[in-house]
Amino acid sequence: MMAAIGAALAGGEVTLLEKNEKTGKKIYITGKGRCNLTNACAPEDFFNHVISNGKFLYSAFYQMDNQGVMDFFEEAGCRLKTERGERVFPVSDHSSDVIAALNRQMEKEQVKVLLKTPAESLLFDRDNNRVRGIRLADGCELAADAVIIASGGKSYESTGSTGDGYRFAKQAGHTIRDIHPALVPFTVKEEWCKRLQGLSLRNVSIELLKDKKKIYDGFGEMLFTHFGVSGPLILSASSYYVKKYDNMPVRLCIDLKPALTIEQLDKRLVRDFEESRNRQFKNALDGLLPAKLIPVIVELSGIAPEKKINEVTKQERNRLTELLKRLELTVTGTRGFAEAIITQGGVNVKEVNPSTMESKLVQGLYFAGEVLDLDAVTGGFNLQIAWSTGHLAGISAVKKKEREEQ
């Protein structure tokens, strides 16, 4: 949609092919239906949140940066607000308002939208090494001076992102970097995790380790589930995990009290234990931990649940302190494309011109968004990549045609 609007604003005659019965199905479910549409961080900070091929994005981002995206949606009638972590949402908390703004702009710029119209293949003028249009699933052919592939990746296939773009790219001779589900929950080995299903932890820090090598560390919010762990912190960690260690066992270490050093935490425990000296151990942690977590920590600590606090040894207290600072889980893999927010991997960006998003292999063919080997952590950064690359691809396609006609 952003590519279509960019092309139309540049003066192009634009047709958008949408295989679903309505536009924006993927947007509809993002941010749990609220649509975290960008991040209001400083522009130079944006690239620190990009995992794959950040330098490739420079031209696209600076032609339509996060402030440009916010201005675009505000002007299109979608009022915005900024929340914790500089995440930007519609004031209404409804992703449908983001879709409506894009649809209004397409209508205003006279973009022709064909719903329930899947593309089957690209059409080429091989003599001149150009794309010349699209063949539809019903066999009809649409002639075009330029084609923009903005079909997403393979995550959430129910929204229509079934990997079509990779097939089209291969027809044009492009190579596809290995694709993996990213921003995706982890499955874990430990059975006790299931007992914590539904428990959300805020302000914790985690480390992801393969042997002694650190894959990721971060601070934020996580969630225990019936299969493992999820939440913003885990989703961001997963994108670093799948890049090199997909489906390999790794250690996830959770610091439940990151604001305290081990010495400070020990002093806190000594103080708490002094106040609860005649209580049983299993009943003495309610000032320190969420109720649901206490039985699991008691069990993992190895301290007898009925033991009186004044009988807990220093060695046992030290073990508890270490457990609270380093609660370990074994990650066994991810929940796959069915639950992945984005796809990591895609069209090799070395075969695409970063200044225009045009294919270096076939003239008139452009790429935008998740179909490219570009991805970032959670927080609105992936949608920003989509807006920036889509906008640049749309404008570039029309400008090139104008130059050729001069």
Side-chain angles (χ1 to χ4, degrees), residues 165-220:
Y166 308 133
R167 182 163 51 84
F168 301 147
K170 283 178 182 174
Q171 288 173 1
H174 281 275
T175 50
I176 309 299
R177 303 300 298 267
D178 286 351
I179 61 168
H180 301 275
L183 299 186
V184 61
F186 283 142
T187 53
V188 303
K189 178 182 168 185
E190 286 74 11
E191 286 294 317
W192 56 259
C193 196
K194 292 177 184 174
R195 289 154 55 192
L196 300 177
Q197 180 179 347
L199 174 65
S200 179
L201 297 178
R202 286 190 173 186
N203 303 324
V204 296
S205 65
I206 66 166
E207 276 187 339
L208 207 59
L209 300 161
K210 178 63 176 170
D211 303 321
K212 291 184 179 178
K213 183 179 170 63
K214 188 190 291 183
I215 303 169
Y216 174 82
D217 63 13
F219 174 86

Side-chain angles (χ1 to χ4, degrees), residues 2-275:
M2 187 61 86
I5 292 163
L9 284 168
E13 185 182 323
V14 186
T15 301
L16 184 143
L17 304 180
E18 171 57 74
K19 73 186 207 182
N20 291 314
E21 73 286 355
K22 59 185 177 183
T23 54
K25 280 184 88 168
K26 187 81 176 274
I27 294 173
Y28 192 74
I29 61 169
T30 58
K32 295 177 183 171
R34 295 175 63 218
C35 190
N36 176 193
L37 57 89
T38 189
N39 191 285
C41 66
E44 58 274 16
D45 194 31
F46 172 82
F47 296 98
N48 295 331
H49 295 87
V50 178
I51 295 171
S52 305
N53 300 311
K55 287 182 179 176
F56 176 85
L57 281 166
Y58 285 175
S59 290
F61 180 76
Y62 284 112
Q63 288 203 41
M64 189 179 209
D65 63 10
N66 44 2
Q67 187 58 55
V69 166
M70 290 186 275
D71 292 345
F72 170 87
F73 280 102
E74 289 273 3
E75 288 164 16
C78 178
R79 291 183 55 231
L80 305 175
K81 60 180 177 179
T82 303
E83 296 186 0
R84 188 167 48 92
E86 299 294 299
R87 295 172 303 162
V88 179
F89 293 89
V91 166
S92 65
D93 282 331
H94 294 308
S95 55
S96 53
D97 286 356
V98 175
I99 300 166
L102 289 163
N103 283 331
R104 276 196 301 274
Q105 286 303 108
M106 288 199 297
E107 192 174 342
K108 181 182 172 187
E109 300 304 328
Q110 297 180 312
V111 173
K112 185 179 180 183
V113 178
L114 301 180
L115 299 174
K116 298 182 187 174
T117 310
E120 180 58 36
S121 59
L122 299 174
L123 299 172
F124 300 100
D125 173 356
R126 296 293 186 185
D127 293 338
N128 295 301
N129 194 34
R130 291 191 67 95
V131 70
R132 63 176 181 85
I134 292 278
R135 179 177 289 109
L136 304 179
D138 64 6
C140 289
E141 294 187 357
L142 294 181
D145 299 307
V147 173
I148 302 172
I149 297 174
S151 52
K154 254 188 87 68
S155 52
Y156 282 116
E157 290 194 357
S158 58
T159 62
S161 51
T162 51
D164 298 339
Y166 308 133
R167 182 163 51 84
F168 301 147
K170 283 178 182 174
Q171 288 173 1
H174 281 275
T175 50
I176 309 299
R177 303 300 298 267
D178 286 351
I179 61 168
H180 301 275
L183 299 186
V184 61
F186 283 142
T187 53
V188 303
K189 178 182 168 185
E190 286 74 11
E191 286 294 317
W192 56 259
C193 196
K194 292 177 184 174
R195 289 154 55 192
L196 300 177
Q197 180 179 347
L199 174 65
S200 179
L201 297 178
R202 286 190 173 186
N203 303 324
V204 296
S205 65
I206 66 166
E207 276 187 339
L208 207 59
L209 300 161
K210 178 63 176 170
D211 303 321
K212 291 184 179 178
K213 183 179 170 63
K214 188 190 291 183
I215 303 169
Y216 174 82
D217 63 13
F219 174 86
E221 188 176 338
M222 63 172 286
L223 172 73
F224 289 97
T225 69
H226 66 285
F227 54 77
V229 285
S230 188
L233 191 53
I234 299 297
L235 296 181
S236 289
S238 74
S239 286
Y240 291 90
Y241 167 75
V242 298
K243 206 162 185 67
K244 285 187 179 176
Y245 304 99
D246 202 8
N247 294 316
M248 293 186 198
V250 299
R251 279 182 302 140
L252 172 65
C253 303
I254 306 165
D255 184 346
L256 297 168
K257 298 292 173 184
L260 302 175
T261 65
I262 218 156
E263 294 77 20
Q264 289 169 331
L265 180 56
D266 186 55
K267 285 179 183 174
R268 163 84 189 269
L269 280 174
V270 169
R271 196 168 64 245
D272 286 3
F273 281 12
E274 186 61 37
E275 291 171 5

